[in-house]
Amino acid sequence: MEKQPLETEQDFKKQMEIEQQQIRLRMGRIKHKILVLSGKGGVGKSTVAVNLAASLAINNKKVGLLDIDIHGPSIPKILNLEDKKLVAFDDTIMPVPVSANLAVMSIGFMLKDQDDPVIWRGPMKYQVIKQFLRDVEWSNLDYLIVDSPPGTGDEPLSIAQLIEKPDGAIIVTTPQQLAITDVRKAVSFCRQLDIPVIGVIENMSGFVCPQCGHNTDIFKSGGGEDMAIEMNVPFLGRIPIDPQIVSACDSGEPYIQRYSQSQAAKAFNEAIKPILALDKSVFEKTNSFQKGDHKMRVAIPVNDGKLCQHFGHCETFAVIDTEGDATKPFKRQDVTPPPHEPGVLPKWLHEMGVNVIIAGGMGQRAKQLFDQNQIEVVIGAPVDTPENLVSAYLNKTLQTGDNTCDH
Ligand code: ADP
């Protein structure tokens, strides 16, 4: 029987929601997602994306590099991975490893011939971008660096919307006036979508003589920096033209690693500093928290002053320090948890030195994660004040019932 239009629309919406949820789950395992954008092509956006990713990997971060520059997927070329074949298991595609800390996925791996032009219409591009975000098995990453298509059209928009909350964008430009005009558009694009601009990089800024190391300004440099000041966004530095950036592609080793002492490599290493700063531990971000001197630290999810049964959605956590004796005074601090994403709360509480969590309900997976973080879990506690719950726990009189929320 043919479906009624309303039903079809509802089915479609439902399907979209399911897919978005799948993307959310995948992205939830990645701590920081960063878009690399440029106003136009040919400014070195992919080169910058590769070298930033490689630099983060050298700094012991687990990094994924995703190339969704559909019309010019150059990352396989830059890393000399053009012969690589993709491996897939069921519905997941494995990214191509470059080093222990860096793996890559590119639309280029899916083309029969890397030089084939990709002629796709809008909806097809959207589908392939969605597939990359949903089906690639990145596992747990510190950073996902996304090499976006140039410009501020449909594709960067799709990525920004599908990722939902990218940590920020790096905008790559060259010093010429024409490129800089395009950067203004890229900054406005980020502002409209509420994506923080991590900073602007001015690439091909001056030429470093391979013989004497002298830097000559071929085009007038500094335009990117002036623009960054004018638009009130950070300037991350200038990368000079270095012919070795082009020749490094043949070796397959990222330029920054192969020519680590070059001026351009040093500039890349400077440029990643604000990105590395994003990865401060969640505990450090809870900066007013006192470490203290105590025997036991108990955390209780709280709403309206009493235990909140859905621990992942509580307003605050009461963190109570005790000497292990209910007759001695407790010391309590209330802290706001980071946004609820799988795996974040156990690590956050562990970093604060919590040994026990008293909860109303908890899913199996969350329980396992607390176990892995050496936090004892008490499930099925009644709605009561944190102090009463801790007293009862220490006196071994805490009445626990059913797991009130086991998903
Ligand atoms: P985009 O992604 O913006 O289209 P690419 O990263 O593919 O640009 O770079 C275009 C070309 O410029 C490539 O051949 C690349 O090797 C070269 N290139 C990029 N940055 C530099 C640089 N700083 N010095 C020398 N060559 C560069």
Side-chain angles (χ1 to χ4, degrees):
M1 199 177 72
E2 207 174 299
K3 282 188 173 176
Q4 296 301 309
L6 185 66
E7 236 181 278
T8 311
E9 195 183 316
Q10 278 177 344
D11 287 352
F12 177 72
K13 276 192 183 153
K14 207 167 169 191
Q15 182 58 27
M16 296 284 278
E17 268 168 33
I18 293 171
E19 287 179 354
Q20 189 59 44
Q21 187 56 24
Q22 289 166 332
I23 293 175
R24 227 171 262 151
L25 279 177
R26 187 75 74 192
M27 293 293 116
R29 296 173 66 189
I30 300 172
K31 283 206 252 169
H32 306 288
K33 296 120 204 159
I34 293 168
L35 307 179
V36 182
L37 302 172
S38 68
K40 64 191 199 87
V43 297
K45 174 179 53 60
S46 302
T47 305
V48 168
V50 165
N51 285 287
L52 292 183
S55 183
L56 290 166
I58 291 166
N59 277 275
N60 270 329
K61 301 294 175 187
K62 286 261 172 227
V63 188
L65 176 60
L66 174 59
D67 175 11
I68 35 183
D69 189 346
I70 291 176
H71 298 286
S74 46
I75 284 182
K77 212 167 247 167
I78 295 175
L79 288 169
N80 199 11
L81 300 171
E82 287 162 290
D83 297 338
K84 296 288 173 196
K85 296 271 170 294
L86 289 181
V87 179
F89 299 103
D90 299 325
D91 289 338
T92 50
I93 315 167
M94 303 310 289
V96 174
V98 175
S99 65
N101 285 343
L102 178 62
V104 176
M105 176 54 66
S106 167
I107 184 78
F109 296 137
M110 293 182 165
L111 303 177
K112 257 204 273 120
D113 182 337
Q114 303 266 340
D115 294 324
D116 276 351
V118 183
I119 307 160
W120 283 343
R121 283 196 252 179
M124 290 165 80
K125 291 188 221 165
Y126 185 75
Q127 283 307 326
V128 80
I129 291 171
K130 196 150 75 173
Q131 199 187 356
F132 271 170
L133 295 176
R134 189 190 55 197
D135 298 340
V136 177
E137 179 50 273
W138 296 107
S139 62
N140 297 341
L141 290 181
D142 294 311
Y143 293 93
L144 180 68
I145 305 291
V146 183
D147 183 13
S148 315
T152 50
D154 287 348
E155 297 141 53
L157 182 67
S158 307
I159 299 147
Q161 287 172 339
L162 286 166
I163 290 186
E164 287 186 338
K165 278 203 177 93
D167 288 64
I170 306 263
I171 300 174
V172 182
T173 183
T174 53
Q176 300 96 320
Q177 200 51 46
L178 202 66
I180 288 165
T181 308
D182 285 324
V183 179
R184 284 203 180 86
K185 287 189 206 153
V187 173
S188 305
F189 169 84
C190 291
R191 290 200 170 134
Q192 272 165 23
L193 295 177
D194 221 7
I195 302 171
V197 176
I198 296 171
V200 171
I201 292 183
E202 186 177 296
N203 187 33
M204 308 200 204
S205 183
F207 173 73
V208 179
C209 170
Q211 259 78 45
C212 67
H214 180 72
N215 193 335
T216 314
D217 277 348
I218 298 180
F219 315 108
K220 188 177 159 295
S221 72
E225 184 166 14
D226 294 345
M227 191 280 313
I229 294 169
E230 183 200 312
M231 300 284 292
N232 200 19
V233 290
F235 183 68
L236 301 180
R238 299 192 178 101
I239 316 287
I241 296 176
D242 183 344
Q244 287 165 327
I245 286 188
V246 186
S247 60
C249 303
D250 298 330
S251 72
E253 195 180 355
Y255 166 83
I256 188 158
Q257 200 168 310
R258 191 170 171 85
Y259 298 100
S260 57
Q261 294 311 310
S262 66
Q263 282 195 34
K266 286 179 187 160
F268 279 123
N269 284 329
E270 274 301 305
I272 63 155
K273 285 187 178 163
I275 312 179
L276 279 172
L278 291 173
D279 200 38
K280 286 235 163 73
S281 79
V282 277
F283 169 62
E284 277 174 68
K285 285 181 188 157
T286 316
N287 44 22
S288 60
F289 192 79
Q290 305 293 313
K291 278 235 160 183
D293 209 10
H294 53 270
K295 248 191 179 159
M296 186 187 288
R297 179 162 271 180
V298 188
I300 294 145
V302 173
N303 267 5
D304 295 330
K306 292 189 173 171
L307 176 129
C308 162
Q309 294 195 309
H310 304 274
F311 88 97
H313 303 281
C314 63
E315 290 161 3
T316 53
F317 270 85
V319 178
I320 293 189
D321 291 349
T322 139
E323 293 310 309
D325 177 349
T327 61
K328 298 217 170 117
F330 299 148
K331 189 164 169 273
R332 171 172 167 175
Q333 304 177 67
D334 284 8
V335 277
T336 308
H340 181 43
E341 279 185 33
V344 169
L345 290 175
K347 182 165 183 277
W348 176 69
L349 290 171
H350 171 75
E351 286 183 352
M352 284 196 291
V354 166
N355 324 101
V356 180
I357 175 167
I358 300 181
M362 187 178 294
Q364 238 349 81
R365 179 77 190 120
K367 164 102 177 50
Q368 276 170 3
L369 289 170
F370 279 111
D371 288 346
Q372 282 165 18
N373 281 281
Q374 294 104 42
I375 297 178
E376 180 193 331
V377 180
V378 179
I379 299 177
V383 176
D384 203 342
T385 62
E387 286 78 3
N388 285 348
L389 291 170
V390 174
S391 293
Y393 169 76
L394 293 173
N395 291 330
K396 302 198 177 8
T397 55
L398 185 64
Q399 301 282 327
T400 51
D402 289 340
N403 190 350
T404 51
C405 164
D406 64 356
H407 59 270

